[in-house]
Amino acid sequence: MTEVYDPRCIANLMLDESARIGQPLTNLALQKLLYFAHAMFLIEQGRPLVSGYFEAWEFGPVHPTAYQSFKSAGAAPINFRATKLNVVRGTREPIASAADPEIVRHVSRIVQSYGRMTPGRLVDISHAKGAPWHFVVDKGRTSLAFGMRIPDEVIRERFKHHKVSVGSQPSAGEPSEDAPFA
């Protein structure tokens, strides 16, 4: 199947898996997990997992569409699922679930591998020197980077630079919410 998913669909799937394993997620953590899932799928399968794009925000990559759906949770664990607006009826409706077992397994693997990490540790990973977020932010300091978008081509080329540093505390501390660069 060559479907590219609505990022809210994959985010909902991540929230379901995190609830299943008893690990609540904040919006900040969800954004990093969504990015890792998209990047790993892009590299492993050669195609994007989610539609749209990620942006380099202060605490790492963020998908604006998914962020908007969950921003009302603030820094608290998310206890609801994203919905979509039916513009004809003016009502909120559920987003279709991903039925492809390959996608469900991929998302489950990401949540089980990274979902128990603190938001600060996820930020550390996403900020690795030379990795996509760092590359875009660094480029933004010296040239025009429209909306600080992280293109899939940059993710493909630079995701290998992600490294996990081992330390007692995340270098970014434990941020509660993300924000675009001002």
Side-chain angles (χ1 to χ4, degrees):
M1 184 179 244
T2 61
E3 183 173 358
V4 177
Y5 290 88
D6 181 318
R8 299 168 298 179
C9 165
I10 301 301
N12 284 346
L13 192 56
M14 290 183 150
L15 290 165
D16 291 345
E17 179 63 16
S18 71
R20 189 187 72 74
I21 66 171
Q23 183 61 48
L25 295 175
T26 64
N27 196 7
L28 190 143
L30 179 64
Q31 293 301 317
K32 304 317 157 243
L33 296 177
L34 183 61
Y35 163 72
F36 294 149
H38 176 75
M40 289 178 192
F41 193 81
L42 186 63
I43 291 162
E44 293 168 3
Q45 302 298 320
R47 59 190 172 92
L49 175 63
V50 298
S51 60
Y53 55 88
F54 288 84
E55 292 179 345
W57 285 23
E58 182 178 0
F59 296 118
V62 169
H63 197 294
T65 301
Y67 177 82
Q68 289 299 319
S69 292
F70 298 106
K71 74 178 183 177
S72 66
I78 299 168
N79 61 4
F80 58 92
R81 300 299 176 261
T83 57
K84 64 181 178 180
L85 177 64
N86 180 321
V87 293
V88 174
R89 293 190 188 121
T91 57
R92 305 290 315 169
E93 297 179 354
I95 294 172
S97 297
D100 184 339
E102 173 189 18
I103 301 302
V104 173
R105 276 192 305 275
H106 177 74
V107 168
S108 177
R109 178 174 56 110
I110 298 301
V111 172
Q112 290 178 28
S113 297
Y114 296 93
R116 295 186 196 281
M117 292 182 178
T118 67
R121 183 62 68 208
L122 295 171
V123 169
D124 277 355
I125 294 168
S126 73
H127 281 202
K129 184 176 173 90
W133 178 91
H134 180 266
F135 177 80
V136 168
V137 170
D138 199 43
K139 186 176 180 175
R141 291 183 181 123
T142 59
S143 64
L144 180 63
F146 182 70
M148 300 298 280
R149 287 186 183 181
I150 306 173
D152 282 348
E153 303 80 58
V154 171
I155 294 172
R156 264 192 206 100
E157 294 168 11
R158 302 194 145 279
F159 194 76
K160 64 187 173 204
H161 295 284
H162 282 285
K163 293 183 179 120
V164 180
S165 62
V166 178
S168 61
Q169 295 295 319
S171 61
E174 285 300 338
S176 58
E177 286 192 79
D178 217 331
F181 283 108

